[in-house]
Amino acid sequence: MALVVGATGITGSNLALKLIEKQWTVFGLSRNPNNNVEGLHPIAADLLNEESLAAALKDISPTHVFFTTWMRNDTEEENIRINSAMIHNLLHILSFKKTVQHVSLVTGLKHYLGPFDAYAKAGTLPETPLREEMPRLDLPNFYYSQEDEIYKVALRDGFTWNVHRPHTVIGKTIGNAMNMGTTLAVYASICKKEGLPLIWPGSEAQWNGLSDVTDAGILAEQIIWAATTPNAWKEAFNITNGDVFRWKWLWPQIAQWFDIDFEGYNGEIRPLEGILNEKQSIWTEIAKENQLVETNLYTLASAWHTDLDLGRPLEVMTDMSKSRQLGFSVYKSTKDSFFDLFTLLRNDQIIP
């Protein structure tokens, strides 16, 4: 029995789907659950309220817990306090059931690049490709606190664990705080409506350098593989599609998919957030004309995080050797990750 924490998010929803496909009984916990995943048993609970959690989980005794959510706060100190408390509260409630065998935690590359307060800044830039054995940065980081909470409780309660560190996750969801694929699809749709080119918003290093991303389906496959493969237990794993690319190669192809022109790096960073902040009225018009399901631009687009990733002053790619050596061999073309997502968004009337 699986408990997916954060089942409405980009990672959690795709993981829940994959688990259901593999015949797991799956409960999905979130503050505002929905019934968008067929076969998922939704649970409403507040991870910061132990009474709420205890009541919601009263009759549920999972063997596997998949923690895929987080809460953004104004400072890293608050990120640490809130996000470690969410894990602490959940595992405290579940410890009384004595059924948990394995806990999986999804974090990301801020493990190597630093927290939001000091993200990819000079003096903390790691050598790429990023490898799991790299030491922690000497900076406050809520990912470290989440890991430490799980390590501590695992020793006490005797369950096994895995940590998964994806690069930018590409997949379908609505309302996610970190959603580059849908953000770029919305931006391209606005450009097409206005007859404007798709302008590269990021840095020269990202435009010219090597990069990789993580398809949400690939991430789900690795999470399930690690949770069910004894040789992989008690390990942290990087996870990407398995290929590398340069944005100067992919960006024109994204523009072509939407049948628009593009502009590459022109000597300066042109943040997407500043562009999209002025486009709500245009998106309202697009949504009305095309009978789209979401009229609020900012529910779909997370420009701040797309800018954070595409504005980094270094190329970023991750080493996948560790899980490959243990037998994980799933692969997906990054171009297919984006184009499959765009097709899905169009078919579901999220973009025109």
Side-chain angles (χ1 to χ4, degrees), residues 164-199:
H164 301 269
R165 299 170 185 160
H167 198 164
T168 304
V169 179
I170 307 301
K172 184 199 169 190
T173 192
I174 294 179
N176 191 264
M178 299 188 292
N179 194 349
M180 179 190 286
T182 301
T183 299
L184 293 182
V186 167
Y187 172 45
S189 299
I190 290 171
C191 289
K192 186 168 186 177
K193 170 69 174 177
E194 296 189 305
L196 298 173
L198 190 73
I199 295 174

Side-chain angles (χ1 to χ4, degrees), residues 257-278:
W257 196 94
F258 286 93
D259 195 26
I260 57 178
D261 293 329
F262 75 94
E263 288 184 15
Y265 181 74
N266 75 341
E268 63 179 354
I269 294 176
R270 295 174 281 183
L272 189 57
E273 189 169 21
I275 297 172
L276 291 185
N277 277 347
E278 302 175 353

Side-chain angles (χ1 to χ4, degrees), residues 281-300:
S281 60
I282 297 296
W283 185 254
T284 300
E285 187 178 335
I286 292 170
K288 184 177 180 180
E289 287 177 354
N290 295 276
Q291 297 181 313
L292 302 183
V293 299
E294 181 53 65
T295 60
N296 188 337
L297 169 64
Y298 310 112
T299 298
L300 297 175

Side-chain angles (χ1 to χ4, degrees), residues 29-77:
L29 189 152
S30 58
R31 279 184 297 177
N32 300 296
N34 56 50
N35 296 312
N36 294 342
V37 178
E38 185 177 351
L40 178 67
H41 305 284
I43 306 168
D46 181 355
L47 288 164
L48 294 175
N49 185 321
E50 288 198 48
E51 289 184 4
S52 167
L53 275 173
L57 297 171
K58 179 181 177 183
D59 299 318
I60 299 167
S61 300
T63 58
H64 291 69
V65 177
F66 302 96
F67 203 95
T68 71
T69 192
W70 68 289
M71 187 180 296
R72 188 185 181 196
N73 299 276
D74 291 338
T75 66
E76 194 60 21
E77 285 69 24

Side-chain angles (χ1 to χ4, degrees), residues 46-279:
D46 181 355
L47 288 164
L48 294 175
N49 185 321
E50 288 198 48
E51 289 184 4
S52 167
L53 275 173
L57 297 171
K58 179 181 177 183
D59 299 318
I60 299 167
S61 300
T63 58
H64 291 69
V65 177
F66 302 96
F67 203 95
T68 71
T69 192
W70 68 289
M71 187 180 296
R72 188 185 181 196
N73 299 276
D74 291 338
T75 66
E76 194 60 21
E77 285 69 24
E78 275 296 284
N79 280 333
I80 290 169
R81 186 179 69 83
I82 294 296
N83 288 287
S84 58
M86 292 195 298
I87 291 179
H88 170 85
N89 293 344
L90 177 69
L91 295 181
H92 178 66
I93 295 299
L94 292 177
S95 67
F96 295 104
K97 298 176 181 291
K98 302 186 185 303
T99 60
V100 175
Q101 300 172 12
H102 190 87
V103 174
S104 301
L105 171 67
V106 179
T107 62
L109 296 196
K110 283 184 290 298
H111 183 94
Y112 310 105
L113 297 172
F116 291 118
D117 292 357
Y119 186 72
K121 295 292 192 297
T124 64
L125 298 181
E127 184 179 76
T128 59
L130 305 173
R131 303 177 187 276
E132 295 95 339
E133 65 269 20
M134 286 179 168
R136 290 179 174 184
L137 299 173
D138 188 20
L139 292 167
N141 192 320
F142 80 87
Y143 284 171
Y144 304 161
S145 299
Q146 286 182 309
E147 289 181 353
D148 289 343
E149 189 66 35
I150 288 176
Y151 300 157
K152 178 181 68 177
V153 181
L155 284 173
R156 183 192 71 197
D157 292 355
F159 57 73
T160 54
W161 53 267
N162 284 111
V163 176
H164 301 269
R165 299 170 185 160
H167 198 164
T168 304
V169 179
I170 307 301
K172 184 199 169 190
T173 192
I174 294 179
N176 191 264
M178 299 188 292
N179 194 349
M180 179 190 286
T182 301
T183 299
L184 293 182
V186 167
Y187 172 45
S189 299
I190 290 171
C191 289
K192 186 168 186 177
K193 170 69 174 177
E194 296 189 305
L196 298 173
L198 190 73
I199 295 174
W200 170 251
S203 68
E204 181 180 15
Q206 282 289 296
W207 177 254
N208 290 316
L210 287 171
S211 189
D212 49 27
V213 297
T214 307
D215 188 273
I218 295 288
L219 174 55
E221 290 282 8
Q222 194 199 55
I223 292 170
I224 298 169
W225 164 81
T228 56
T229 303
N231 286 345
W233 292 345
K234 298 184 179 181
E235 295 284 356
F237 292 115
N238 291 333
I239 173 62
T240 62
N241 285 354
D243 63 355
V244 294
F245 68 95
R246 299 183 197 275
W247 277 106
K248 68 179 180 182
W249 168 83
L250 183 60
W251 196 252
Q253 297 188 67
I254 292 175
Q256 184 178 23
W257 196 94
F258 286 93
D259 195 26
I260 57 178
D261 293 329
F262 75 94
E263 288 184 15
Y265 181 74
N266 75 341
E268 63 179 354
I269 294 176
R270 295 174 281 183
L272 189 57
E273 189 169 21
I275 297 172
L276 291 185
N277 277 347
E278 302 175 353
K279 302 298 184 181

